[in-house]
């Protein structure tokens, strides 16, 4: 990913331009007497917390910000859902306090953390687990099965019409039209794109020749910005197919081949993949980045899944900033915070074991 440098003041203005905001307001008479939790000893905090990144988290972040306002009404939290790549870029430029990202930072990015973090290290906290759905728009075809090789062929432009024999083979009861297939993909650097491509590379390597990245590699189709843009095109255009965080999908979506069965997306099916995954080697103590088990054949598992992280410094330049980050992350990881995200976005709550790891790593955050 190409990173662009810009001054913190300018970048901060960018991060705050289109925000989800929770703020106790400037009215000093705001009642903060009931604020408990979210910080050590129930300490009442104040100040401003700015994040930017994954649009997949947007619905969950709205719920987290609203819930945190009940806990710490004097802390203003803003989040700009500009996409994972832009979120990491702003974080690395020192423009935000944390980033939301559907992919963990690569080696080059980790080498640039010193510009953003006082101690030169950042931690990935897995806070949001969600299927990446394969939405499509094909009136009259409400059930669609796609084997990994067929899905990869469609996305690579090798299968171009809906009545292709490769699609028909797994959908014998469907009346497939001869409509041309239009693939809808992200136009912005996207962690959802990277997660989707990682699945295609693992599950159908012969049909998907591209290396996973946050930029879509295939020419043609329709490009749209962020999750909402992809879904707007698909919902309004017959013959389309794409990929999107499941929280944004309300219409048709495909069941994906896993072993001998076809599995529809669900939070529970996505969580099975996460449980089978191994830690990534980032060289940072306490880091919780994961190598997802994309090629699982476990029954009932939905293999196209993303884990969206909150990325925070291990050390900040002042104690107030560190305490605000810690308190917000503690709320997000709490049972209450995870339930709020599940209700708002249909995500899978992190497991108790993961929560214990997250809370332990949050305690490593320092400032001063």
């Amino acid at each position: 990913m190409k990173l662009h440098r810009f001054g913190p003041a300018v970048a901060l203005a960018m991060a705050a331009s289109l925000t989800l905001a929770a703020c106790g307001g400037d009215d000093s008479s705001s009642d903060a007497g009931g604020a408990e939790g979210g910080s050590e000893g129930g300490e009442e905090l104040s100040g401003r917390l700015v994040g930017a990144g994954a649009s997949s988290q947007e619905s969950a972040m709205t719920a987290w910000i609203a819930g945190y306002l009940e806990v710490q009404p004097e802390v203003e939290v803003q989040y700009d859902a500009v996409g994972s790549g832009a979120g990491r870029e702003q974080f690395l430029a020192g423009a935000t306090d944390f980033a939301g990202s559907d992919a963990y930072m690569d080696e080059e990015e980790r080498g640039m953390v010193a510009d953003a973090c006082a101690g030169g290290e950042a931690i990935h906290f897995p806070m949001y687990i969600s299927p990446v759905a394969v939405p499509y728009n094909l009136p009259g075809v409400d059930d669609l099965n796609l084997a990994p090789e067929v899905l990869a062929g469609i996305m690579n432009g090798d299968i171009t019409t809906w009545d292709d024999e490769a699609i028909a083979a797994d959908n014998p009861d469907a009346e497939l039209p001869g409509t041309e297939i239009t693939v809808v993909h992200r136009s912005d650097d996207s962690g959802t794109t990277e997660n989707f491509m990682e699945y295609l590379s693992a599950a159908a390597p012969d049909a998907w020749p591209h290396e996973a990245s946050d930029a879509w590699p295939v020419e043609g189709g329709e490009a749209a910005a962020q999750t909402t843009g992809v879904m707007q095109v698909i919902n309004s255009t017959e013959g389309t197919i794409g990929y999107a965080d499941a929280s944004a999908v309300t219409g048709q979506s495909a069941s994906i081949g896993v072993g001998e069965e076809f599995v529809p997306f669900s939070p529970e099916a996505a969580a099975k993949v996460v449980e089978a995954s191994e830690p990534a080697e980032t060289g940072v103590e306490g880091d919780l980045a994961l190598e997802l088990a994309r090629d699982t054949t476990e029954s009932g598992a939905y293999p196209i899944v993303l884990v969206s992280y909150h990325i925070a410094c291990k050390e900040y330049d002042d104690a107030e900033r560190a305490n605000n980050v810690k308190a917000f992350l503690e709320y997000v990881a709490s049972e209450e915070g995870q339930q709020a995200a599940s209700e708002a976005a249909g995500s899978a709550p992190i497991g108790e074991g993961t929560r214990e790891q997250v809370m332990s790593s949050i305690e490593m955050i320092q400032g001063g």
Side-chain angles (χ1 to χ4, degrees), residues 292-317:
L292 295 175
R294 306 285 185 183
D295 55 354
T296 182
T297 57
E298 180 181 354
S299 178
Y302 183 83
I304 317 177
V305 61
L306 67 80
V307 172
S308 201
Y309 302 95
H310 287 180
I311 305 174
C313 294
K314 201 168 184 179
E315 182 178 345
Y316 287 90
D317 53 8

